[in-house]
Amino acid sequence: MDRVEVGASVRAAVDGDAAAWKALVDGLSPLVWSVVRAYRLSDADGHEVYQTVWFRFAQHLGRIREPDKAASWLASTARHECLKVIRGLARMMPTDDPYVLDRISEDRTPEQSVIDSEEAAAEAERVRRLWQEFEELGERCRQLLRVLMATPPPAYAEVSAALGIAVGSIGPLRQRCLRRLRARLDARGAV
């Protein structure tokens, strides 16, 4: 549904048109479900959020100031409801039952959660060492690599103007700097 159709359907639904309400639910349900699925809730929690979003929409239908933006209202409400559910899950009481599954990701065991956490800690340590070695590079290398890491990457002409390096020297200097960084990481076993 486009915004004009949504706005017209909302106004008609406010006036009691059941067909307009059905058109809204049919047309905007995929949007609500896409938001709910993005939060990876369990099926039961996802259905609960979906129902709550439509209930709140029905409650506020007559008070929506910009009917053509109802889709945004639904998406925002779905996000808020998903976050409420997630906060509620975080307050759940821990259990010593090893068969209780993580409610957010029902295919992960408690053991897998520990492994994932250890892997995340190891990755964080690798990243910390990388930046530590990066800081030990010369100033010119640090400046060049920082500029080239920008998103989106700048054109070599912009890099040349910013750092005073000839355009033809940027690539070779970049390679030397990266080789130097790699050698430092290899020497410390940080890779």
Side-chain angles (χ1 to χ4, degrees):
M1 296 181 85
D2 67 18
R3 290 175 76 166
V4 174
E5 289 174 293
V6 169
S9 294
V10 168
R11 286 186 280 281
V14 167
D15 293 334
D17 184 349
W21 176 258
K22 182 174 178 355
L24 283 169
V25 173
D26 291 345
L28 297 176
S29 283
L31 168 71
V32 175
W33 276 118
S34 71
V35 172
V36 171
R37 284 190 193 102
Y39 284 89
R40 302 183 70 202
L41 301 174
S42 69
D43 284 345
D45 289 336
H47 281 85
E48 183 68 28
V49 167
Y50 175 82
Q51 293 296 325
T52 301
V53 168
W54 283 107
F55 176 73
R56 297 221 187 292
F57 186 67
Q59 281 181 316
H60 294 91
L61 192 60
R63 289 183 264 161
I64 294 178
R65 283 180 256 157
E66 295 179 75
D68 56 332
K69 293 184 180 178
S72 297
W73 190 97
L74 284 166
S76 179
T77 303
R79 278 190 294 278
H80 291 294
E81 291 300 322
C82 286
L83 291 172
K84 273 189 205 174
V85 168
I86 290 170
R87 280 192 297 271
L89 292 174
R91 288 190 291 257
M92 294 182 84
M93 296 298 286
T95 180
D96 59 352
D97 182 357
Y99 299 105
V100 174
L101 297 176
D102 179 1
R103 298 215 0 150
I104 293 173
S105 175
E106 294 180 347
D107 57 345
R108 294 175 63 229
T109 64
E111 293 83 8
Q112 186 62 47
S113 295
V114 169
I115 291 168
D116 290 348
S117 131
E118 289 173 352
E119 288 172 354
E123 179 63 19
E125 178 60 21
R126 280 192 295 275
V127 169
R128 186 193 66 74
R129 280 190 257 161
L130 170 70
W131 283 108
Q132 183 179 8
E133 294 303 325
F134 180 86
E135 290 301 322
E136 298 298 321
L137 291 174
E139 180 64 26
R140 190 169 177 92
C141 279
R142 286 196 316 262
Q143 284 180 332
L144 177 64
L145 293 176
R146 278 194 179 109
V147 168
L148 292 174
M149 283 189 286
T151 303
Y156 274 17
E158 295 171 325
V159 175
S160 174
L163 299 179
I165 300 172
V167 172
S169 299
I170 294 172
L173 180 57
R174 175 180 167 266
Q175 286 179 339
R176 283 193 300 276
C177 292
L178 289 174
R179 260 190 254 123
R180 214 174 287 147
L181 179 60
R182 173 63 117 184
R184 293 184 66 82
L185 291 167
D186 286 342
R188 292 180 180 54
V191 179

